[in-house]
């Protein structure tokens, strides 16, 4: 499902149900030894996806352990991102020679609970969301904004190992072509000599889910686009925002 908003340079594996007997590495099992059932299912299934994605990438699967902030620690040579929400798990991976960083997120196409939008958004973003909601009411744009900022953080953290607040990002959503731009309001890292000032990504709303994806290509491998993210594959589907509502 998330493949539709990803370039050909990465591999994605996603599922809608949890396997009854997921096979994990011993180190992964140890990291969730005291987790509750919900956390265990999320953790286990998304790592099964990650292992499968590494195989499809042509690499031997390795443990993907959580770091100090919960971020997935990928094996050498692998760049990736994972996401899970109710009824959906996904992992996306690429090789570091071709891809610099990846950030994905999936959320239910439902409104944010009270007070969350004010906490995660800028005044300009809220003004834009109001206009989008009036034109395309079947998509919960506040949730899409949150989803986009989560993808930005997941792409940002492997490059910087620094926290990024919601107000440190300005999101501009293109409702017609399934794109979004994320402008950094703080100094970004240098990626192989180039200062990263923004990310660009893709989004989709279908099947009751909202998904966002950022893939930043490595310089010299087709080159980054203007905002630092790799352009999607030519066959990627544009989400329908009029009439279908992404359902």
């Amino acid at each position: 499902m998330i493949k539709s908003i990803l370039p050909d340079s990465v591999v994605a594996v996603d599922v809608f149900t949890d396997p009854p007997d997921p096979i994990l590495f011993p180190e992964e099992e140890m990291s969730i030894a005291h987790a509750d059932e919900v956390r265990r299912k999320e953790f286990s299934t998304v790592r099964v996806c990650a292992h499968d994605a590494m195989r499809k990438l042509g690499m031997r699967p390795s443990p993907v352990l959580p770091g100090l902030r919960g971020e997935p620690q990928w094996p050498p040579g692998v760049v990736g991102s994972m996401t899970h929400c109710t009824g959906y798990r996904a992992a996306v991976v690429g090789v570091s020679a071709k891809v610099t960083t990846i950030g994905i997120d999936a959320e239910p196409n439902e409104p944010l609970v009270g007070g969350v939008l004010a906490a995660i958004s800028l005044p300009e973003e809220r003004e834009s969301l109001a206009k989008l909601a009036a034109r395309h009411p079947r998509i919960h744009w506040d949730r899409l904004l949150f989803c986009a900022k989560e993808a930005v953080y997941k792409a940002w953290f492997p490059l910087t190992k620094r926290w990024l607040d919601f107000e440190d990002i300005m999101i501009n959503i293109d409702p017609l072509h399934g794109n979004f731009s994320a402008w950094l309001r703080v100094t970004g890292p240098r990626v192989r000599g180039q200062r990263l000032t923004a990310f660009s990504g893709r989004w989709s709303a279908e099947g009751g889910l909202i998904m966002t994806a950022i893939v930043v290509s490595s310089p010299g491998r087709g080159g980054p686009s203007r905002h630092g993210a790799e352009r999607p594959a030519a066959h990627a589907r544009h989400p329908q925002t009029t009439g279908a509502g992404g359902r």
Side-chain angles (χ1 to χ4, degrees):
M1 194 171 183
I2 201 169
K3 294 181 182 71
S4 67
I5 56 172
L6 292 168
D8 289 334
S9 58
V10 297
V11 172
V13 173
D14 55 4
V15 297
F16 298 90
T17 59
D18 297 311
D21 298 302
I23 299 175
L24 301 180
F25 287 93
E27 303 95 314
E28 293 171 331
E29 287 281 6
M30 289 179 58
S31 69
I32 54 167
H34 304 292
D36 61 31
E37 187 64 18
V38 172
R39 173 59 180 156
R40 175 175 287 275
K41 287 182 177 180
E42 293 172 344
F43 182 98
S44 300
T45 302
V46 81
R47 274 157 179 81
V48 169
C49 290
H51 301 161
D52 193 15
M54 281 187 264
R55 288 189 194 94
K56 292 184 177 182
L57 196 63
M59 306 184 75
R60 172 178 284 186
S62 299
V64 184
L65 302 177
L68 292 177
R69 291 186 179 272
E71 76 283 2
Q73 300 182 96
W74 299 95
V78 177
V79 176
S81 185
M82 302 188 295
T83 188
H84 52 75
C85 65
T86 302
Y88 186 72
R89 327 289 194 201
V92 176
V93 299
V95 295
S96 58
K98 296 182 179 180
V99 179
T100 297
T101 191
I102 302 171
I104 65 168
D105 197 56
E107 299 284 337
N109 187 9
E110 299 172 358
L112 295 173
V113 297
V116 173
L117 179 59
I120 65 131
S121 63
L122 301 167
E124 305 96 309
E125 292 172 327
R126 292 193 291 274
E127 181 179 349
S128 177
L129 293 183
K131 294 177 182 177
L132 289 170
R135 295 170 185 167
H136 311 289
R138 293 192 179 185
I139 292 178
H140 293 287
W141 300 97
D142 55 346
R143 182 74 68 162
L144 176 52
L145 179 72
F146 176 81
C147 197
K149 292 197 176 189
E150 285 290 291
V152 171
Y153 179 75
K154 291 179 182 180
W156 158 277
F157 191 80
L159 301 177
T160 64
K161 304 301 181 185
R162 302 200 316 264
W163 184 254
L164 186 69
D165 285 329
F166 287 109
E167 64 266 25
D168 293 334
I169 315 162
M170 166 77 81
I171 300 288
N172 181 47
I173 301 170
D174 178 349
L176 298 180
H177 302 101
N179 303 318
F180 68 88
S181 298
W183 299 93
L184 297 174
R185 304 176 78 222
V186 294
T187 302
R190 286 193 177 275
V191 179
R192 301 188 186 183
Q194 298 180 12
R195 178 72 67 185
L196 191 66
T197 59
F199 293 93
S200 65
R202 298 275 296 165
W203 66 268
S204 173
E206 56 182 305
L209 293 172
I210 289 173
M211 292 174 288
T212 53
I214 294 169
V215 178
V216 179
S217 62
S218 297
R221 295 286 178 173
S225 63
R226 187 168 67 92
H227 303 316
E230 187 172 336
R231 299 187 186 280
H235 62 267
R237 298 194 305 271
H238 293 294
Q240 295 186 0
T241 57
T242 305
R247 297 187 182 275

